[in-house]
Amino acid sequence: MSRLDRTRTSAHQLRPFFSSQNLLNRADGSAQFDFGESSVMCSVIGPAEVKLRDEKLDKATLEVVVRPLVGLPGIKDKAREQAIRETLEPLVLSGLHPRTGIQIVVQTMKDDGSILATAFNATILALLDAGIPLKSILGAVTCIVDSETNQILLDPTTQELANAKSTHTFVFDNKSSITSSPENKDQEEAVEVATLYSDSTGLFSEEEYFECAQICYKAVQAVHGFIRTAVQKKLEKEQQQIHS
Amino acid sequence: MTSITMEEESKLLIVLPGDQLPESGLMEDSSAAHRLTLGPGLAPMDDDSITAVKAGILKHNAVGNRWWVESNQRRYVAAQGESIIGVVTGKSAEHYKVDIGASQPALLGVLAFEGATKRNKPNHNIGDLLYCRVSMANKDMEAELECMNPTTGKADGFGELKGGFVIKISLGLARRLLDPKNLVLRLLGQHIPFEMAVGTNGKVWVNSASAQHTILICNAIRNSEYLNSAECGSMVKSLVEKM
């Protein structure tokens, strides 16, 4: 089989990751995350002062602003804001910072498909950079069911998305565990996942949905590993003078 | 869910939010032998585990079985006992309002200075720089400051900082500057005489004989954050040579 994206040979292959942290010097935390040619930058300011009408007595108020690649923000961006905010609200330990505000701004820098997943990953890296207390990290990935071949393709480009029968974005935390029987390595038990966010569009069956979830779950482990490596490199650089 | 294993004590153990401390009956046994003290970056969760809530280096002190995560951020969260640099932004009959870089300005009592009485109290203006101690801080209220050592009642270095220049750095770099063996400060001190005050809220005040020297020192401090010892040495050398 061959994907429309010629740089990849396998249906379950992700595009190369790239990330950068602490790039903006006026934000408390910032990060950029790339899935191949899709790039999103995120900035975090907080815990900071918040307007009295938005103040919550026992928690921090989370505000998410999504800015598109071109033009003014529209309904799609508002939907993304809600998705990011509702996924992050249970994850952020906002009880530690009552009566404050945490403002997250997400800006698309380059768009080649899977923007929401890229935005989620950039956001979590920025939150880690800002030192906002979190219950766990998250990782996101998109997949499609191709309309011609019915194959599940991971991390689609814009070209591949145009040919999709259904598109699915999944976000998982790093606390779920996968159970696999050691006897039959080929057959894995049903995954017991805690999905933080799931968004699907198009026509698909129940089996297709759960198969997509499984495939995306495995791919998100690679995203988690990448986030860990990125944070590790940054911390090692900071500690060089003491520990070298 | 990642359980951390403490194998090599010398390697930096990096944790992310969601990583749990090794289970060994930590929560059930509340006898003195198994009692834990949790510092910043760790929190007990609903499932009775102790989880990291910040990305950083997991540290452990056998004395008192203390565990904490050393993390870095730019935004300051007030904690009692810390020495910080603040800017006066407002004045009332009883308090000064001081911006310390946290989510809300802190309050400094008008009489919280050495030897201050109602008749004889210091007069500070908006914009003055003060080196203070956090006397009270909790998540629900504005922090309170004082410009004296609470046990002795003496100033002990707290008070107004006159002249000089303030830069904003990350909290982790500020903590490293407080280390007496800090490399960049030692190297700078070999070439330029200067005085400095470090606030754990990420603000550093530097004062020297000329503005040029002051700016050089501030730039050197800012640059030193991600450099190793050798790079730091050559960075200071190249800055000093240009002077």
Side-chain angles (χ1 to χ4, degrees):
Chain A
M1 57 72 45
S2 60
R3 297 177 68 148
L4 280 172
D5 178 9
R6 294 287 171 187
T7 64
R8 284 179 282 175
T9 47
S10 154
H12 294 181
Q13 192 182 348
L14 296 169
R15 287 173 285 183
F17 302 137
F18 170 80
S19 85
S20 179
Q21 293 161 81
N22 204 0
L23 29 151
L24 303 172
N25 65 8
R26 285 189 189 249
D28 294 326
S30 54
Q32 180 178 326
F33 185 88
D34 294 9
F35 268 127
E37 289 298 311
S38 279
S39 176
V40 171
M41 191 188 292
C42 175
S43 82
V44 170
I45 296 177
E49 271 202 44
V50 69
K51 287 196 207 89
L52 214 62
R53 60 144 196 248
D54 297 328
E55 190 182 78
K56 287 193 202 156
L57 288 181
D58 58 341
K59 290 177 172 192
T61 309
L62 222 67
E63 183 196 345
V64 181
V65 177
V66 170
R67 301 224 173 94
L69 184 64
V70 284
L72 292 168
I75 326 163
K76 209 171 174 180
D77 306 296
K78 277 274 170 271
R80 286 185 180 149
E81 282 175 16
Q82 187 182 27
I84 296 175
R85 190 183 61 246
E86 290 183 354
T87 311
L88 286 176
E89 251 159 19
L91 225 57
V92 171
L93 284 167
S94 49
L96 291 177
H97 300 292
R99 295 167 58 226
T100 66
I102 300 172
Q103 189 194 47
I104 300 169
V105 180
V106 175
Q107 169 75 62
T108 309
M109 308 291 284
K110 290 192 285 181
D111 191 339
D112 191 18
S114 310
I115 279 298
L116 184 57
T118 320
F120 268 115
N121 295 332
T123 306
I124 199 69
L125 275 168
L127 285 170
L128 289 173
D129 188 47
I132 305 278
L134 302 165
K135 281 199 189 124
S136 71
I137 61 168
L138 54 77
V141 99
T142 312
C143 74
I144 58 163
V145 178
D146 189 80
S147 51
E148 286 163 32
T149 62
N150 267 338
Q151 245 195 336
I152 296 177
L153 300 177
L154 259 186
D155 193 19
T157 60
T158 312
Q159 199 185 22
E160 291 174 334
L161 278 169
N163 260 6
K165 201 167 63 162
S166 65
T167 311
H168 308 265
T169 303
F170 285 95
V171 179
F172 299 107
D173 65 9
N174 63 340
K175 284 172 105 64
S176 358
S177 53
I178 188 167
T179 50
S180 64
S181 59
E183 295 89 50
N184 359 352
K185 282 270 161 74
D186 318 310
Q187 253 184 348
E188 281 184 12
E189 302 287 337
V191 175
E192 205 204 282
V193 259
T195 314
L196 293 180
Y197 176 79
S198 156
D199 181 64
S200 308
T201 54
L203 275 172
F204 52 94
S205 69
E206 204 179 312
E207 290 88 38
E208 278 178 331
Y209 176 78
F210 285 112
E211 209 189 325
C212 286
Q214 276 252 28
I215 292 169
C216 285
Y217 178 80
K218 286 197 205 123
V220 160
Q221 305 312 303
V223 176
H224 284 157
F226 178 76
I227 291 174
R228 191 175 289 274
T229 310
V231 169
Q232 198 161 330
K233 287 216 168 101
K234 183 178 88 148
L235 287 168
E236 279 167 4
K237 276 216 138 174
E238 278 174 9
Q239 300 285 325
Q240 276 181 97
Q241 284 178 37
I242 310 178
H243 292 271
S244 56
Chain B
M1 157 176 82
T2 322
S3 197
I4 305 158
T5 49
M6 304 288 286
E7 285 159 357
E8 292 178 41
E9 293 291 331
S10 53
K11 227 169 41 173
L12 288 183
L13 192 48
I14 304 222
V15 293
L16 289 184
D19 292 350
Q20 297 176 357
L21 281 194
E23 289 122 330
S24 45
L26 293 170
M27 296 300 275
E28 284 114 49
D29 191 346
S30 60
S31 69
H34 288 109
R35 202 173 297 144
L36 285 181
T37 309
L38 297 181
L42 292 171
M45 292 284 158
D46 293 332
D47 57 357
D48 276 342
S49 66
I50 298 168
T51 312
V53 294
K54 294 211 181 173
I57 300 168
L58 183 67
K59 292 266 167 122
H60 171 57
N61 192 338
V63 176
N65 203 9
R66 292 189 220 141
W67 294 83
W68 73 97
V69 176
E70 236 173 73
S71 61
N72 194 6
Q73 60 190 68
R74 297 184 68 87
R75 173 70 60 166
Y76 179 60
V77 175
Q80 190 185 13
E82 294 194 327
S83 306
I84 51 115
I85 293 176
V87 180
V88 178
T89 58
K91 220 167 135 169
S92 83
E94 291 196 4
H95 293 119
Y96 289 106
K97 257 214 172 86
V98 180
D99 172 23
I100 56 173
S103 60
Q104 281 187 314
L107 297 174
L108 170 61
V110 159
L111 297 177
F113 294 83
E114 179 184 352
T117 61
K118 279 215 184 102
R119 286 166 185 268
N120 171 26
K121 53 187 181 195
N123 182 26
H124 291 294
N125 304 307
I126 292 183
D128 279 0
L129 271 173
L130 297 172
Y131 193 64
C132 326
R133 185 186 168 275
V134 179
S135 58
M136 186 210 75
N138 63 45
K139 57 184 178 140
D140 299 297
M141 290 165 62
E142 291 163 318
E144 283 180 17
L145 311 172
E146 61 193 358
C147 269
M148 58 184 187
N149 185 328
T151 44
T152 63
K154 301 279 178 194
D156 274 353
F158 295 117
E160 191 181 350
L161 296 167
K162 296 198 173 83
F165 187 66
V166 171
I167 57 165
K168 173 97 184 64
I169 55 173
S170 70
L171 306 191
L173 180 59
R175 287 192 293 263
R176 291 199 290 279
L177 287 175
L178 287 170
D179 183 357
K181 292 182 259 128
N182 183 276
L183 182 63
V184 72
L185 297 178
R186 265 192 298 128
L187 292 173
L188 286 168
Q190 288 166 5
H191 302 277
I192 310 169
F194 67 98
E195 59 172 340
M196 178 177 98
V198 178
T200 41
N201 58 336
K203 300 231 171 90
V204 177
W205 174 84
V206 176
N207 192 17
S208 73
S210 78
Q212 196 189 20
H213 288 175
T214 305
I215 291 177
L216 190 153
I217 294 164
C218 291
N219 285 339
I221 290 173
R222 267 212 201 95
N223 293 345
S224 72
E225 183 159 14
Y226 293 113
L227 300 179
N228 66 27
S229 312
E231 290 166 343
C232 207
S234 49
M235 182 263 298
V236 174
K237 194 157 160 245
S238 68
L239 280 177
V240 166
E241 273 164 10
K242 284 193 197 136
M243 204 165 58

